[in-house]
Amino acid sequence: MFEIWETSEPARLISDAGSLKVALEKVDTMCRLRHDQALAHIGEAAAEEGYHFEIRDHDGRALARLTYVPDTSRDYQSVVVEELHGRDSA
């Protein structure tokens, strides 16, 4: 079991996931949401500083951390590198 946290102040539990793959997909979904909000000029101050996410294990230890700063000059690009999903990039 994994937990997905947004650790920007105040920290909040976003969701849980049964696998690392699902946890990564949920973080990617949150980053896409933050990108869309930045395009709509919602939460502009937070967007400039970036959004902080963690994937934690069942003991609460951080396994992965990500800071995402939306770049509204281009379309959203996934923050999850294909290699993290275990797919062959060739």
Side-chain angles (χ1 to χ4, degrees):
M1 179 68 88
F2 299 92
E3 295 179 339
I4 298 93
W5 286 79
E6 184 168 1
T7 58
S8 307
E9 292 298 324
R12 66 185 181 101
L13 175 65
I14 295 171
S15 184
D16 58 14
S19 70
L20 184 55
K21 178 182 178 190
V22 172
L24 290 168
E25 289 170 357
K26 289 184 177 188
V27 169
D28 193 51
T29 297
M30 288 303 301
C31 290
R32 179 182 297 276
L33 174 66
R34 297 301 185 229
H35 183 268
D36 292 347
Q37 289 173 333
L39 283 173
H41 305 291
I42 299 170
E44 289 183 55
E48 291 176 10
E49 296 175 18
Y51 299 94
H52 308 283
F53 299 97
E54 284 186 0
I55 297 175
R56 298 178 184 175
D57 67 9
H58 64 278
D59 292 324
R61 290 184 300 242
L63 301 174
R65 291 187 176 99
L66 171 78
T67 297
Y68 175 69
V69 179
D71 179 356
T72 58
S73 68
R74 60 186 172 100
D75 290 340
Y76 178 77
Q77 292 180 339
S78 176
V79 297
V80 179
V81 178
E82 291 299 312
E83 286 80 10
L84 292 174
H85 282 298
R87 297 182 187 141
D88 189 357
S89 59

